[in-house]
Amino acid sequence: MTDNEMLQAIKQLLDPIRKNQEEMKLQIEGLQLQVNTLNHEVKRGFWKTDQDIETLVEVLEAKGILPKAQ
């Protein structure tokens, strides 16, 4: 077997591995996007919850149900 034939055989063996790596890379990028989106949604949810709690406390204080914080 010549050197070129040996290199060609090695290349053929590595091609499926390269394709698999590319597929995994795309899947990882997709997962990273999902994690970033989820992280953003969680932060937005906490912000909204904080706003709702502040509003509720203000209403309860205004109605005299909850003593005003000092």
Side-chain angles (χ1 to χ4, degrees):
M1 185 177 261
T2 67
D3 287 345
N4 283 339
E5 291 172 333
M6 182 68 78
L7 288 173
Q8 191 64 22
I10 292 171
K11 183 181 176 195
Q12 288 177 346
L13 290 172
L14 290 176
D15 277 344
I17 294 171
R18 255 187 235 126
K19 288 178 184 175
N20 192 19
Q21 284 177 327
E22 184 61 30
E23 289 174 9
M24 288 188 334
K25 179 182 174 188
L26 293 173
Q27 290 173 348
I28 289 171
E29 288 172 358
L31 288 172
Q32 287 173 331
L33 177 61
Q34 289 177 355
V35 167
N36 288 340
T37 301
L38 181 60
N39 190 22
H40 174 73
E41 290 296 321
V42 167
K43 285 180 181 178
R44 193 173 86 181
F46 279 119
W47 178 83
K48 185 178 178 334
T49 300
D50 287 346
Q51 294 297 316
D52 291 346
I53 290 171
E54 286 180 23
T55 301
L56 180 60
V57 167
E58 288 175 9
V59 168
L60 292 175
E61 286 176 346
K63 290 187 174 193
I65 297 171
L66 188 67
K68 294 197 183 248
Q70 296 183 8

